[in-house]
Structures are given as C-alpha cells and as structure tokens.
C-alpha cells in the first residue's frame, strides 16, 4: 500500500436538506484503507447534512485523514497543518480536524501543536457530526477510542463517481510486525459480515461500478462465522462475472491453498497478488516478527505460480531494519532476483515510537540505508523492465480508466495483472474492456494500440 497524497474526487451531489449544506473538504493520505475510510466519513457526514467540496476555499470544515506509517508521512501532515492554519487565519470560523492514524497516535498533542478543533481516530467516525457541532460552538473535541467491533458495516460510503470502488472488508491488524505502528493506530482485527460485503457489491454493480478492491491490512485472516477470505472472494466473484475483483493486502503466512485455488478458479478474480515480503533474510524476518521464513515464502510463490502461470506479484520491502547487515541486505536482493516481482513498494526503515523495533535503536546509518534502498530500487526497475519487455507483441485485456494524462489522443487502463497500459484509441468509456496490442514497454508502463473490444 502506498502513502501518496490522494485527493478524493468528489462530485457534489444533491442533498435532501433544504437549508444550505455546510461544506466539507477532505484530504486523504496513507493507504487505500484511508481512502475507503474517507468515503465512510463522507457517508456519515452527508447523512447529517454536509456536502463534500473539492475546493478548500469553499469549505466550512477541512479534514485531513492522516497516516503514521513512517516519519516522513507524519512530517508532511505537520507541514500541511501549518500551511492550512496560516491560510485560514483570515477565516476564524473554519473548523479543522485531523482523522486517521496520526489522530490515533498523537491525540491531544495535535491540538496543542496545531490548534486543530477536532481529532478523531479510525474507530470513532460515527461521532464526527456531534464533535463538529461542538467545534462550531467553539469546543475542541477528541474521539480516539479503539473498538473491537466497529466495522461500519451499515454505513453507505459516499463514493465519487467512477467505475472502481474500494471496499474495506476488515479493520485493524493482529500481526504486530515489530516495525509497524498500524496495530496501535487501527486496533484489533475484525471482519465485516459476508452478507454486508456482498450486498454492497450488488449495489455497486447496480450503480455501474466495474471493479471492486476488497481491502484489509491482512485480508487473508478475514473471518465471518466460519467463512474465510476464500469464501468471501467466491461470493463476491459470483455477484457479476464481468466485475473485476481485486484485493489487498495478503500476509504470506495466511495465504492458504484454498485461497490460491479460489483465485485460480474464477476468471474475474484478478491474477494479481500483493504479497509483501519485507526482507529476504531469515534472521531479519524473525526480528520483524513476520512469522514466515524465506523458504516458506518462496515455496508459497512456487505454489501460486504453478497454479496460476502469468500471475503478477508485488511486494513491500524495508531497507535498513535495525541490525540488518550487508549480507542480510544481499539476501533481500537475491530473493527479489529469484521471485522477479512485477512491482514493489520500497522503503527505508523508519523508527516508530511504541513499536517493539523502536527499542532496537536505528543503528543502520542513514547513508547505508539510502544506498541499500537505491540498490533495491535499481534491481526492481531492471526486473520490472524485463518482465514488461517480454509482454511486447502480446495482446492484453485492458479495463479503461480514462484519458491518458499525457495526451488527449490516448487512453489509459489496466490489465488484469494491474499493469498500466497507455494506448491509442478513439474515445472509450471508463470501465470498458478492450483488447490492446502491446507495442513497447518501460519498467512502469505498457504502451500499445487498440486491437478490438473484448467479449
Ligand atoms: N498490512 C500491510 C502493510 C501495511 S503498511 C502488510 O502487512 O503488508 C505498508 C508497508 O509499509 C509495509 O508493508 C512495510 O513495508 C512498510 N512499513 C511499515 N512500517 C514501516 C516502518 N516503520 N518503516 C518503513 N516501512 C514501514
Ligand atoms: Fe503492519 Fe504487519 Fe499488520 Fe501489515 S501485517 S499492518 S506490516 S503489523
Ligand atoms: Fe498509514 Fe494508517 Fe494506512 S498508518 S498506511 S494510513 S493504516
């Protein structure tokens, strides 16, 4: 999962209320779970009479949905809050709130440091309308209790128009990888009901969505009254055989053979698995509490590939975990070389206070970390490039996302394996499935031309 800034594209929708609605502007940072949460937040706020806006200057309420995963992610938000306060000094009535993982982690410190009006963690979004009412009458509000049961199963997310929807199927994480803040900011693992998820998918199909991505920090431990993630995926796949179904993230320890078979059996379950490895060294994996060995991981990759040739795999890698030696770093490189990932999110280790790894110190010097990260990135680019070159000359089935950002004459879409394809075609509707002949490739993108419509 990436932590890029993502502005949620919200079209203003008509509200049932007659009085002019108060306007809310949200900026979302962090992973896809946060994007999905922003839609839940807007669902809750819409019900109490708020209308989303994409223009911060028009907003009565500005919310930042934040990420704590690395120090850099938090630094960006501190800076952003500084800018917002400055810009808004001419609007004393404006309400500013912090949501998400930083709200959970830093709590009242955020009020002290940035004078924000409300701070609300991931499990307390139902309280937003009440806290905002308080803030409007000048009361600062905090809601940061974590819950063992909250899944927002009954909330209808307020989605921007489009063809692709996020659906959180579970919340929290019980894995406690030693580097990771998420179990502390998101609390214990809990799943939504299978019927709730399937019902939501049915509604989305009715509204014209053509792709859904089921989300959780570790979707493989989804469980609802004995029904596991494989059962959920089959049920979702059956809703509409032409709906593309994606999911993320899979923890390598819990990816069962039943799940592999399920993905293989259904054509509309995308043949793309994000399977973060973090490190190629057994000693480091152990220190990270990842609970699998290199051998287990490679055997799993072998089973996935033999059952689904052509499947795309991506990963997350951390460079410079405390005590990591040069040799252990080389083991990460050799694992990457062996697996040949289609893509990777690659990070320098960032110490997070309160996590077990924090106590180990941060003993890999910054320049060593940076050099290791650069090697990891260079290797991945080479491998991605090789894989993509091997696709030149093939015909790919592509779901149209929209016009390419680079040129009005080109469209952009994605393959089943989640590769971006830029191709020459007349105007096509987002969500259409077309065949594209791949003419050339870079490490990040495939380029081609329309070869026909898919059946
Ligand atoms: N649940 C997902 C990932 C959540 S965080 C999973 O288990 O894969 C996304 C990624 O951020 C992680 O996979 C990890 O590679 C990275 N990450 C998490 N904590 C980090 C830290 N303290 N420093 C650097 N990278 C970190
Ligand atoms: Fe963090 Fe590990 Fe949970 Fe992923 S599985 S969210 S890395 S603790
Ligand atoms: Fe960041 Fe929280 Fe997601 S820490 S990566 S927004 S779960």
């Amino acid at each position: 999962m990436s932590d890029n800034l993502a502005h949620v594209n919200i079209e203003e929708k008509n509200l049932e209320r007659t009085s002019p609605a108060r306007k809310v502007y949200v900026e979302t940072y962090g992973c896809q779970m946060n994007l999905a949460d922003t839609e839940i937040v807007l669902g809750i706020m819409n019900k109490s009479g708020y209308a989303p806006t994409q223009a911060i200057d028009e907003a009565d309420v500005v919310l930042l949905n934040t990420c704590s995963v690395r120090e850099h992610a938090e630094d960006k938000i501190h800076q952003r809050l500084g800018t917002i306060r400055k810009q808004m000094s001419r609007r004393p009535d404006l309400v500013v709130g912090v949501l998400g993982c930083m709200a959970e982690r830093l709590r009242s410190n955020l009020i002290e440091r940035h004078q924000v009006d409300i701070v609300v963690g991931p499990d307390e979004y139902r309280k937003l309308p009440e806290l905002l009412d308080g803030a409007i009458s000048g009361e600062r509000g905090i809601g940061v209790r974590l819950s063992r049961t909250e899944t927002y199963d009954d909330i209808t997310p307020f989605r921007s128009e489009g063809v692709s929807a996020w659906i959180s199927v579970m919340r929290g994480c019980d894995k406690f990888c030693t580097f990771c803040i998420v179990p502390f900011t998101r609390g214990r693992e809990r799943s939504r009901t299978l019927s709730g998820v399937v019902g939501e998918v049915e509604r989305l199909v009715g509204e014209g969505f053509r792709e859904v991505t089921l989300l959780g920090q570790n979707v493989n431990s989804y469980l609802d009254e004995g029904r596991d993630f494989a059962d959920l995926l089959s049920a979702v796949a059956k809703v509409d055989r032409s709906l593309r179904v994606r999911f993320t993230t899979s923890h390598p320890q819990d990816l069962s053979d039943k799940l592999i078979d399920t993905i293989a059996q259904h054509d509309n379950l995308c043949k793309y698995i994000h399977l973060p490895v973090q490190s190629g060294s057994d000693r480091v994996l152990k220190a990270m509490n990842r609970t699998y060995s290199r051998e287990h991981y490679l055997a799993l990759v072998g089973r996935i590939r033999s059952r689904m040739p052509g499947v795309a795999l991506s990963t997350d890698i951390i460079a410079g975990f405390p005590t990591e030696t040069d040799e252990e770093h080389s083991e990460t490189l050799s694992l990457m070389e062996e697996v040949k990932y289609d893509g990777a999110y690659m990070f320098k280790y960032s110490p997070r206070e309160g996590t077990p790894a924090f106590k180990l110190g941060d003993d890999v010097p910054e320049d060593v970390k940076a050099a290791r990260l650069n090697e990891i990135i260079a290797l991945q680019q080479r491998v991605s490039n090789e894989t993509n070159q091997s696709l030149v000359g093939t015909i790919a089935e592509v779901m149209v996302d929209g016009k390419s950002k680079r040129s009005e004459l080109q469209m952009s879409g994605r393959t089943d394996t989640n590769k971006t394809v830029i191709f020459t075609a007349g105007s096509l509707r987002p969500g259409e499935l077309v065949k594209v002949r791949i003419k050339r490739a870079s490490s990040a993108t495939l380029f081609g031309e329309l070869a026909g419509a898919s059946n």
Side-chain angles (χ1 to χ4, degrees):
M1 293 192 184
S2 66
D3 70 335
N4 294 329
L5 164 68
H7 289 276
V8 176
N9 274 323
I10 302 295
E11 297 287 326
E12 287 175 41
K13 289 191 182 168
N14 290 331
L15 289 170
E16 283 160 26
R17 280 167 55 112
T18 45
S19 58
R22 284 188 276 176
K23 291 197 170 158
V24 56
Y25 167 89
V26 191
E27 266 172 32
T28 308
Y29 299 78
C31 60
Q32 289 98 324
M33 305 272 320
N34 257 14
L35 287 171
D37 277 4
T38 289
E39 295 175 342
I40 288 170
V41 163
L42 290 173
I44 291 170
M45 293 190 58
N46 195 215
K47 255 191 162 167
S48 9
Y50 286 86
T53 173
Q54 291 187 67
I56 191 166
D57 290 334
E58 277 182 8
D60 303 292
V61 176
V62 170
L63 300 175
L64 301 194
N65 192 2
T66 62
C67 174
S68 288
V69 78
R70 284 168 291 278
E71 199 177 346
H72 178 64
E74 289 199 347
D75 287 346
K76 275 200 301 201
I77 289 153
H78 285 303
Q79 271 174 22
R80 185 69 184 125
L81 282 169
T83 315
I84 288 175
R85 286 316 300 183
K86 254 188 242 149
Q87 280 173 359
M88 300 305 169
S89 53
R90 59 193 154 87
R91 289 199 44 199
D93 56 326
L94 185 81
V95 173
V96 178
V98 181
L99 315 179
C101 292
M102 263 175 96
E104 193 60 49
R105 198 176 90 77
L106 298 172
R107 305 174 170 219
S108 58
N109 295 337
L110 287 167
I111 296 188
E112 283 148 30
R113 179 158 170 192
H114 297 290
Q115 287 82 53
V116 294
D117 302 289
I118 58 165
V119 174
V120 189
D123 286 348
E124 295 249 70
Y125 294 148
R126 285 178 203 268
K127 282 204 185 140
L128 269 167
E130 188 192 320
L131 291 169
L132 286 167
D133 282 347
I136 285 158
S137 40
E139 255 169 65
R140 296 227 148 103
I142 280 207
V144 288
R145 244 186 317 189
L146 288 170
S147 157
R148 286 183 175 264
T149 53
E150 178 63 273
T151 61
Y152 301 108
D153 205 20
D154 58 317
I155 303 284
T156 307
F158 190 105
R159 294 191 166 88
S160 50
E161 277 154 40
V163 292
S164 188
W166 309 113
I167 305 180
S168 286
V169 300
M170 56 181 303
R171 302 182 69 83
C173 183
D174 285 353
K175 288 285 175 207
F176 289 96
C177 303
T178 57
F179 51 78
C180 185
I181 197 73
V182 172
F184 304 95
T185 61
R186 294 268 167 177
R188 298 292 54 78
E189 204 167 86
R190 67 215 99 114
S191 300
R192 277 181 68 182
T193 62
L194 186 137
S195 58
V197 175
V198 170
E200 187 167 349
V201 174
E202 286 167 350
R203 272 200 311 279
L204 289 167
V205 168
E207 289 168 20
F209 283 86
R210 304 308 309 138
E211 178 181 78
V212 294
T213 305
L214 309 186
L215 298 175
Q217 292 301 347
N218 175 20
V219 284
N220 303 346
S221 52
Y222 175 89
L223 197 61
D224 173 39
E225 293 182 351
R227 285 160 312 176
D228 63 14
F229 189 59
D231 300 327
L232 178 69
L233 270 185
S234 313
V236 169
K238 285 178 194 151
V239 169
D240 174 353
R241 290 296 180 188
S242 66
L243 179 76
R244 272 191 177 178
V245 181
R246 301 186 182 280
F247 56 92
T248 197
T249 296
S250 293
H251 190 290
Q253 190 205 2
D254 304 329
L255 205 158
S256 64
D257 289 344
K258 175 181 172 190
L259 182 55
I260 299 174
D261 279 341
T262 304
I263 303 166
Q265 272 159 19
H266 297 272
D267 280 348
N268 60 331
L269 294 182
C270 291
K271 305 298 177 272
Y272 166 62
I273 305 179
H274 183 56
L275 194 64
V277 70
Q278 316 295 358
S279 165
S281 146
D282 278 338
R283 196 198 62 84
V284 174
L285 285 172
K286 200 158 189 171
M288 288 176 162
N289 190 33
R290 285 294 288 185
T291 66
Y292 51 83
S293 63
R294 177 186 175 109
E295 191 188 348
H296 169 100
Y297 186 93
L298 289 173
L300 176 62
V301 168
R303 286 202 300 284
I304 294 171
R305 287 235 166 98
S306 69
R307 190 75 176 78
M308 290 180 276
V311 68
L313 295 176
S314 62
T315 194
D316 293 347
I317 308 259
I318 296 179
F321 183 81
T323 72
E324 183 189 67
T325 63
D326 278 338
E327 200 180 358
E328 287 162 343
H329 162 65
S330 307
E331 291 182 81
T332 297
L333 296 175
S334 73
L335 179 132
M336 292 173 73
E337 190 87 65
E338 204 170 328
V339 176
K340 298 201 188 307
Y341 292 106
D342 292 79
Y345 299 96
M346 301 156 282
F347 313 102
K348 275 192 277 190
Y349 171 72
S350 170
R352 308 314 289 137
E353 201 172 349
T355 60
F358 190 78
K359 300 186 198 85
L360 299 174
D362 183 19
D363 63 353
V364 178
E366 185 55 31
D367 57 333
V368 175
K369 263 193 215 170
R372 287 181 190 168
L373 180 66
N374 285 341
E375 277 181 45
I376 288 169
I377 293 173
L379 169 58
Q380 184 52 42
Q381 266 190 347
R382 175 170 65 70
V383 172
S384 296
N385 190 41
E386 282 164 16
T387 314
N388 286 352
Q389 294 309 331
S390 74
L391 296 171
V392 172
T394 61
I395 292 191
E397 187 172 65
V398 174
M399 185 177 280
V400 176
D401 283 330
K403 285 216 181 320
S404 154
K405 285 188 203 112
R406 306 173 195 200
S407 146
E408 275 287 299
L409 302 171
Q410 294 195 303
M411 305 294 298
S412 169
R414 270 166 305 126
T415 63
D416 170 71
T417 52
N418 211 27
K419 291 181 192 290
T420 299
V421 186
I422 307 288
F423 58 102
T424 313
S427 195
L428 297 169
R429 268 176 297 116
E432 257 184 88
L433 277 178
V434 291
K435 302 261 193 235
V436 174
R437 182 175 322 235
I438 306 303
K439 306 282 266 187
R440 70 189 173 85
S442 70
S443 61
T445 314
L446 304 174
F447 300 89
E449 62 188 28
L450 198 61
S454 288
N455 296 322

